[in-house]
mmCIF file of all heavy atoms in Angstrom:
data_model
loop_
_atom_site.group_PDB
_atom_site.id
_atom_site.type_symbol
_atom_site.label_atom_id
_atom_site.label_comp_id
_atom_site.label_asym_id
_atom_site.label_seq_id
_atom_site.Cartn_x
_atom_site.Cartn_y
_atom_site.Cartn_z
ATOM 1 N N VAL A 79 -26.749 -28.720 -14.542
ATOM 2 C CA VAL A 79 -26.406 -29.959 -15.074
ATOM 3 C C VAL A 79 -26.165 -29.846 -16.604
ATOM 4 O O VAL A 79 -25.269 -30.454 -17.232
ATOM 5 C CB VAL A 79 -27.439 -31.011 -14.640
ATOM 6 C CG1 VAL A 79 -27.176 -32.322 -15.444
ATOM 7 C CG2 VAL A 79 -27.457 -31.273 -13.265
ATOM 8 N N LEU A 80 -27.117 -29.191 -17.264
ATOM 9 C CA LEU A 80 -27.020 -28.995 -18.732
ATOM 10 C C LEU A 80 -25.716 -28.296 -19.021
ATOM 11 O O LEU A 80 -24.977 -28.660 -20.022
ATOM 12 C CB LEU A 80 -28.216 -28.270 -19.243
ATOM 13 C CG LEU A 80 -29.652 -28.968 -19.245
ATOM 14 C CD1 LEU A 80 -30.702 -28.161 -19.606
ATOM 15 C CD2 LEU A 80 -29.517 -30.177 -20.211
ATOM 16 N N ARG A 82 -23.001 -28.188 -17.414
ATOM 17 C CA ARG A 82 -21.759 -28.917 -17.122
ATOM 18 C C ARG A 82 -21.621 -29.984 -18.206
ATOM 19 O O ARG A 82 -20.560 -30.203 -18.751
ATOM 20 C CB ARG A 82 -21.948 -29.755 -15.789
ATOM 21 C CG ARG A 82 -21.710 -28.781 -14.575
ATOM 22 C CD ARG A 82 -21.865 -29.559 -13.282
ATOM 23 N NE ARG A 82 -21.766 -28.667 -12.182
ATOM 24 C CZ ARG A 82 -21.955 -29.078 -10.918
ATOM 25 N NH1 ARG A 82 -22.414 -30.230 -10.660
ATOM 26 N NH2 ARG A 82 -21.819 -28.184 -9.872
ATOM 27 N N LYS A 109 9.779 -37.871 -39.668
ATOM 28 C CA LYS A 109 10.262 -37.363 -40.986
ATOM 29 C C LYS A 109 11.563 -36.536 -40.793
ATOM 30 O O LYS A 109 12.435 -36.697 -41.482
ATOM 31 C CB LYS A 109 9.219 -36.652 -41.707
ATOM 32 C CG LYS A 109 9.571 -36.335 -43.107
ATOM 33 C CD LYS A 109 8.386 -35.548 -43.776
ATOM 34 C CE LYS A 109 8.686 -35.127 -45.227
ATOM 35 N NZ LYS A 109 7.653 -34.357 -45.799
ATOM 36 N N LYS A 112 14.708 -38.595 -39.928
ATOM 37 C CA LYS A 112 15.282 -39.305 -40.990
ATOM 38 C C LYS A 112 16.115 -38.241 -41.772
ATOM 39 O O LYS A 112 17.287 -38.472 -42.274
ATOM 40 C CB LYS A 112 14.211 -39.904 -41.882
ATOM 41 C CG LYS A 112 13.538 -41.009 -41.211
ATOM 42 C CD LYS A 112 12.373 -41.636 -42.128
ATOM 43 C CE LYS A 112 11.666 -42.783 -41.419
ATOM 44 N NZ LYS A 112 10.581 -43.315 -42.232
ATOM 45 N N ARG A 145 59.814 -18.285 -43.137
ATOM 46 C CA ARG A 145 60.200 -17.321 -44.073
ATOM 47 C C ARG A 145 60.223 -15.841 -43.485
ATOM 48 O O ARG A 145 61.121 -15.000 -43.671
ATOM 49 C CB ARG A 145 59.380 -17.297 -45.342
ATOM 50 C CG ARG A 145 59.559 -18.510 -46.170
ATOM 51 C CD ARG A 145 58.624 -18.584 -47.383
ATOM 52 N NE ARG A 145 58.783 -19.789 -48.119
ATOM 53 C CZ ARG A 145 57.971 -20.058 -49.211
ATOM 54 N NH1 ARG A 145 57.049 -19.286 -49.523
ATOM 55 N NH2 ARG A 145 58.239 -21.144 -49.967
ATOM 56 N N LYS A 166 46.516 -6.006 -27.609
ATOM 57 C CA LYS A 166 45.973 -5.561 -26.330
ATOM 58 C C LYS A 166 45.483 -4.154 -26.223
ATOM 59 O O LYS A 166 44.407 -3.870 -25.747
ATOM 60 C CB LYS A 166 47.054 -5.879 -25.132
ATOM 61 C CG LYS A 166 47.114 -7.313 -24.670
ATOM 62 C CD LYS A 166 48.078 -7.373 -23.538
ATOM 63 C CE LYS A 166 48.144 -8.856 -22.903
ATOM 64 N NZ LYS A 166 49.115 -8.837 -21.876
ATOM 65 N N ALA A 192 11.108 1.380 -17.999
ATOM 66 C CA ALA A 192 10.761 1.724 -16.539
ATOM 67 C C ALA A 192 9.821 2.923 -16.570
ATOM 68 O O ALA A 192 8.855 2.997 -15.834
ATOM 69 C CB ALA A 192 11.991 2.137 -15.737
ATOM 70 N N ILE A 195 6.329 1.752 -17.640
ATOM 71 C CA ILE A 195 5.510 1.149 -16.512
ATOM 72 C C ILE A 195 5.163 2.200 -15.483
ATOM 73 O O ILE A 195 4.063 2.083 -14.934
ATOM 74 C CB ILE A 195 6.439 0.051 -15.928
ATOM 75 C CG1 ILE A 195 6.633 -1.079 -17.000
ATOM 76 C CG2 ILE A 195 5.805 -0.539 -14.619
ATOM 77 C CD1 ILE A 195 7.595 -2.255 -16.503
ATOM 78 N N GLN A 201 -0.737 7.027 -14.260
ATOM 79 C CA GLN A 201 -1.978 7.466 -14.881
ATOM 80 C C GLN A 201 -3.195 6.691 -14.368
ATOM 81 O O GLN A 201 -4.243 7.291 -14.422
ATOM 82 C CB GLN A 201 -1.807 7.272 -16.405
ATOM 83 C CG GLN A 201 -0.793 8.306 -16.947
ATOM 84 C CD GLN A 201 -0.581 8.081 -18.529
ATOM 85 O OE1 GLN A 201 -0.762 6.978 -18.966
ATOM 86 N NE2 GLN A 201 -0.170 9.075 -19.229
ATOM 87 N N ILE A 223 -21.270 30.501 23.921
ATOM 88 C CA ILE A 223 -20.841 29.134 24.308
ATOM 89 C C ILE A 223 -19.344 29.124 24.770
ATOM 90 O O ILE A 223 -18.936 28.232 25.505
ATOM 91 C CB ILE A 223 -20.990 28.140 23.111
ATOM 92 C CG1 ILE A 223 -22.541 28.163 22.782
ATOM 93 C CG2 ILE A 223 -20.637 26.701 23.444
ATOM 94 C CD1 ILE A 223 -22.886 27.396 21.514
ATOM 95 N N ASP A 261 -0.857 15.647 17.051
ATOM 96 C CA ASP A 261 -1.533 14.369 16.965
ATOM 97 C C ASP A 261 -2.879 14.471 16.388
ATOM 98 O O ASP A 261 -3.820 14.822 17.199
ATOM 99 C CB ASP A 261 -1.457 13.590 18.343
ATOM 100 C CG ASP A 261 -1.869 12.173 18.217
ATOM 101 O OD1 ASP A 261 -2.509 11.765 17.207
ATOM 102 O OD2 ASP A 261 -1.483 11.376 19.180
ATOM 103 N N GLU A 291 -13.875 10.000 27.458
ATOM 104 C CA GLU A 291 -13.638 8.528 27.593
ATOM 105 C C GLU A 291 -14.506 7.718 26.640
ATOM 106 O O GLU A 291 -14.141 6.853 25.972
ATOM 107 C CB GLU A 291 -13.839 8.112 29.016
ATOM 108 C CG GLU A 291 -13.433 6.651 29.258
ATOM 109 C CD GLU A 291 -11.999 6.225 28.974
ATOM 110 O OE1 GLU A 291 -11.127 7.281 29.074
ATOM 111 O OE2 GLU A 291 -11.681 5.207 28.492
ATOM 112 N N ALA A 346 -0.186 1.201 -2.339
ATOM 113 C CA ALA A 346 -0.694 -0.195 -2.554
ATOM 114 C C ALA A 346 -1.233 -0.276 -3.978
ATOM 115 O O ALA A 346 -0.948 -1.284 -4.653
ATOM 116 C CB ALA A 346 -1.729 -0.561 -1.540
ATOM 117 N N ILE A 351 -0.600 -2.323 -9.622
ATOM 118 C CA ILE A 351 -0.459 -2.007 -11.135
ATOM 119 C C ILE A 351 0.900 -2.408 -11.627
ATOM 120 O O ILE A 351 0.971 -3.122 -12.629
ATOM 121 C CB ILE A 351 -0.895 -0.555 -11.382
ATOM 122 C CG1 ILE A 351 -2.325 -0.292 -11.014
ATOM 123 C CG2 ILE A 351 -0.696 -0.283 -12.806
ATOM 124 C CD1 ILE A 351 -2.654 1.166 -10.986
ATOM 125 N N MET A 352 1.955 -1.962 -10.959
ATOM 126 C CA MET A 352 3.250 -2.147 -11.441
ATOM 127 C C MET A 352 3.577 -3.731 -11.391
ATOM 128 O O MET A 352 4.220 -4.273 -12.391
ATOM 129 C CB MET A 352 4.320 -1.452 -10.584
ATOM 130 C CG MET A 352 5.613 -1.150 -11.214
ATOM 131 S SD MET A 352 6.654 -0.041 -10.328
ATOM 132 C CE MET A 352 5.745 1.461 -10.545
ATOM 133 N N ALA A 400 8.138 -12.158 2.082
ATOM 134 C CA ALA A 400 8.409 -11.188 1.118
ATOM 135 C C ALA A 400 7.739 -9.805 1.537
ATOM 136 O O ALA A 400 8.426 -8.646 1.304
ATOM 137 C CB ALA A 400 7.710 -11.601 -0.209
ATOM 138 N N CYS A 425 7.347 2.735 -5.668
ATOM 139 C CA CYS A 425 5.924 3.254 -5.503
ATOM 140 C C CYS A 425 5.849 4.241 -4.315
ATOM 141 O O CYS A 425 5.096 5.153 -4.368
ATOM 142 C CB CYS A 425 4.931 2.137 -5.309
ATOM 143 S SG CYS A 425 4.857 1.094 -6.871
ATOM 144 N N ARG A 470 16.013 18.759 -7.228
ATOM 145 C CA ARG A 470 15.842 17.508 -8.033
ATOM 146 C C ARG A 470 17.179 17.269 -8.825
ATOM 147 O O ARG A 470 17.282 16.102 -9.345
ATOM 148 C CB ARG A 470 14.632 17.612 -8.926
ATOM 149 C CG ARG A 470 13.379 17.922 -8.267
ATOM 150 C CD ARG A 470 12.857 16.702 -7.568
ATOM 151 N NE ARG A 470 11.497 17.037 -6.978
ATOM 152 C CZ ARG A 470 10.888 16.235 -6.222
ATOM 153 N NH1 ARG A 470 11.350 15.047 -6.001
ATOM 154 N NH2 ARG A 470 9.730 16.549 -5.679
ATOM 155 N N VAL A 481 40.568 16.993 -13.061
ATOM 156 C CA VAL A 481 39.576 15.896 -13.389
ATOM 157 C C VAL A 481 39.604 15.693 -14.854
ATOM 158 O O VAL A 481 39.389 16.634 -15.585
ATOM 159 C CB VAL A 481 38.170 16.198 -12.797
ATOM 160 C CG1 VAL A 481 37.241 15.061 -13.073
ATOM 161 C CG2 VAL A 481 38.260 16.533 -11.337
ATOM 162 N N ALA A 517 40.657 28.640 -22.413
ATOM 163 C CA ALA A 517 41.931 29.250 -22.655
ATOM 164 C C ALA A 517 41.598 30.755 -22.902
ATOM 165 O O ALA A 517 40.888 31.114 -23.815
ATOM 166 C CB ALA A 517 42.682 28.663 -23.810
#
Side-chain angles (χ1 to χ4, degrees):
V79 170
L80 288 173
R82 286 179 184 173
K109 185 178 178 181
K112 292 177 182 178
R145 289 178 183 176
K166 272 186 180 179
I195 292 174
Q201 286 176 340
I223 302 174
D261 189 336
E291 185 60 30
I351 294 168
M352 202 172 287
C425 294
R470 305 284 182 184
V481 181

